[in-house]
Amino acid sequence: MGSDFRAPDLSEGDPTVVLPGDLILEYDPEKTQDRIFLGPGLRWQDKTITATKCGLLRKTPKKIYFIDSQQKRYVPEKRDFVVGIILKKRGDFYMIDIGASMAATISYLSFENASKKTRTELDVGDLIYGKLIVANKHMDPELVCIDSYDRAMGMGRLPDGGILFTVPLHVARLLIKPDNPFLHNISKKITYTIVVGLNGRVWVKTAREGEMVAVMNAILLLEVMSMEEANKKVLKVLESFI
Amino acid sequence: MANHKCELNFLSRSDGSALYSIGSTIALASVNGPGDVKQSNRHDFRVFLDVTYNPCTGQPMIRERTTESVIRKTVEQVVLTHLYPRTAINITVQEMQSDGLALAASVNAVCMALLNASVQMKSTFAGVTCCLTPAGTIIIDPTEAEIKESSAVATFVFESLAGELIAAQEEGHLDTDTFTTCLNQCQTAAKDVFSFYRRMIANRYQEQG
C-alpha cells in the first residue's frame, strides 16, 4: 500500500528516506553468493529485507546496510563508548546509568591498574567514560574502562569541573565522525576537552565556565541545523557567549 | 485529506512526540521508551505498552479508557514488541481540541510520535473516520456537527504494508453493504495519509541532511 515508495537504487546518489515496512531488497542467501550485512533498523524475513525505523537508508562500500535515524533514547550496543553516571555500589560492582532502559554494571577490576588491593574508588554521581562489552536485550549491559591490553586509552573516571549535557543520538554520531571539522572549528576559539558518548551524553571541560556554556550551545546547534549551516554559524555563536 | 497537519518533535523532553491535526481536531502524542518498568508490569519476552489518554477538559473516564485500549491494541500489532523485552514504552495522548475526529487524530499522532522516537515497527498505521448521513452519503473526515446529524460513525485503522484493517470502532447502525463501502472509502483515504506521513518524514530528514 505504501505505493509511492520505490525500492531504492542504492548504488549511487543521496540516501533515501524510508519508513517502517518499506521493502529494501529481496535477499535469498541460497540463490546468491553475495553476502551483505544488516545494521540497525533493518529486518530480514521471508527472503526480503524491510525497514523497521524511519530514517535515511545508507549503504557502505563493504555492503553494510543500515538506517540512520534521529533518535533520542539510547539502546545499548556492544563496543559502544558511553558516558555513564554512578548510581550506587553493589558488592564488587558499580551500577551506572547510561540512559538505557536498564542500569549498566562495571566491575571494580575493569579499570586500569586495578587489583583487589588497589581498587578504584568511585562515588555516587561520578561520571565515567567506558566501553560496553555486554549489550543485548536479555541481559544487563556491562561496561569496562580498559581495552583488551588492559590499558585505559582515555577511559575511566571523568575529572571534576566539567559539564554534562544530552544531545540526540545522531548528533553524537555526527560529532565523532573523523571527517567532521566541527569540533576543530570550535577549537579555533576555545581550548577545550570533550568526551562524546554514543548514548548522547557529551561532557565538556574548559578553563572558564563561560566557555563551557559556549561550547555546549555550539554543539546544541546541531540539533536544529545541518552540519554545513552549523559550521558556518559556530564561530558567531561562540563569540556571542564569550 | 488536505486538512492534515503535523509537527514532529513538538515536545523537547520526550523521546518522540507529534502534534497532529485533522481539520480542527488536534491531538498531541508523546512516546517515551523503551525505558525502565516496574517489576509487576515487566514481561520477559516483550515490551509493556502503556497508553494514557487525556481529554481536553476533566478527568479521563470510561470513554477515554476505550480510546486508550483501541490505541494500545493498534500499537501492539505494529510495534516489534519482542525486540524490547523487560522494558516499557509509555504513550501519552493529550486531546488539544476536538471536532469529532479525536480517535483518528490521536491514532495518527501516536504513529508519528512512534516514528519520531524510532521505535521499531512492522509498518506504519493510519486512522480514518467516516460517517453516514441519514440521506445515505458517506463523509470522510466529518466535523462534529456532521457526526451529530449522522446515523452512524465509524473509525478504521489500517496498516501500511497491505492496507489491511487492524482496528475499528463504530457507533450506530451500518448494514453489511454500507459497512463495506465505508471501509473501502476509508482505505482509499488512508493511502493519502500514508503519503502524507512520507512527506513529513522526508522533510524532517532532508532539512537536516
Side-chain angles (χ1 to χ4, degrees), chain A residues 93-107:
Chain A
F93 288 90
Y94 292 107
M95 306 295 285
I96 298 156
D97 169 33
I98 55 167
S101 63
M102 277 189 168
T105 57
I106 188 167
S107 159

Side-chain angles (χ1 to χ4, degrees), chain A residues 18-239:
Chain A
V18 292
L19 262 72
D22 286 349
L23 174 71
I24 308 299
L25 72 155
E26 308 267 342
Y27 182 72
D28 185 356
E30 284 170 11
K31 285 194 185 142
T32 168
Q33 287 297 308
D34 232 16
R35 289 294 172 260
I36 59 171
F37 301 93
L38 296 185
L42 295 170
R43 195 163 77 120
W44 180 63
Q45 200 175 33
D46 302 330
K47 292 171 187 167
T48 55
I49 295 164
T50 49
T52 57
K53 281 182 185 179
C54 68
L56 298 169
L57 177 68
R58 291 187 199 275
K59 182 192 177 188
T60 68
K62 288 189 175 166
K63 288 184 185 158
I64 303 174
Y65 291 77
F66 65 100
I67 292 178
D68 195 359
S69 68
Q70 298 176 357
Q71 193 173 336
K72 286 186 191 167
R73 173 66 65 150
Y74 179 65
V75 179
E77 285 295 336
K78 205 173 169 182
R79 290 186 282 277
D80 271 4
F81 286 97
V82 295
V83 174
I85 305 167
I86 308 279
L87 292 174
K88 62 181 171 196
K89 197 172 165 179
R90 205 165 67 183
D92 295 348
F93 288 90
Y94 292 107
M95 306 295 285
I96 298 156
D97 169 33
I98 55 167
S101 63
M102 277 189 168
T105 57
I106 188 167
S107 159
Y108 70 85
L109 292 171
S110 317
F111 293 89
E112 194 179 45
N113 297 329
S115 67
K116 286 207 164 185
K117 280 178 186 161
T118 59
R119 56 155 75 191
T120 320
E121 283 299 334
L122 295 167
D123 294 320
V124 172
D126 279 356
L127 301 177
I128 70 161
Y129 180 59
K131 188 180 181 177
L132 283 163
I133 52 158
V134 175
N136 68 56
K137 57 180 182 283
H138 295 292
M139 290 168 78
D140 285 1
E142 189 179 340
L143 282 174
V144 288
C145 283
I146 44 173
D147 66 1
S148 48
Y149 301 106
D150 284 358
R151 294 169 307 193
M153 299 298 281
M155 291 181 283
R157 180 178 176 277
L158 295 175
D160 293 330
I163 53 165
L164 181 77
F165 57 95
T166 324
V167 295
L169 304 185
H170 68 276
V171 174
R173 287 197 297 268
L174 205 62
L175 279 175
I176 58 165
K177 254 188 173 173
D179 55 352
N180 187 347
F182 189 76
L183 294 180
H184 285 122
N185 285 344
I186 298 181
S187 67
K188 285 176 193 161
K189 277 264 176 273
I190 295 170
T191 316
Y192 65 106
T193 317
I194 189 166
V195 174
V196 182
L198 281 169
N199 56 348
R201 291 203 177 130
V202 181
W203 178 88
V204 175
K205 190 176 179 182
T206 62
R208 292 191 300 121
E209 272 163 19
E211 291 174 343
M212 290 193 231
V213 178
V215 175
M216 178 177 93
N217 281 286
I219 289 168
L220 290 176
L221 285 181
L222 292 174
E223 217 174 303
V224 288
M225 55 180 75
S226 71
M227 202 68 229
E228 294 79 38
E229 239 180 308
N231 270 321
K232 273 181 221 155
K233 291 193 178 153
V234 61
L235 292 180
K236 269 191 185 166
V237 172
L238 288 177
E239 272 165 21

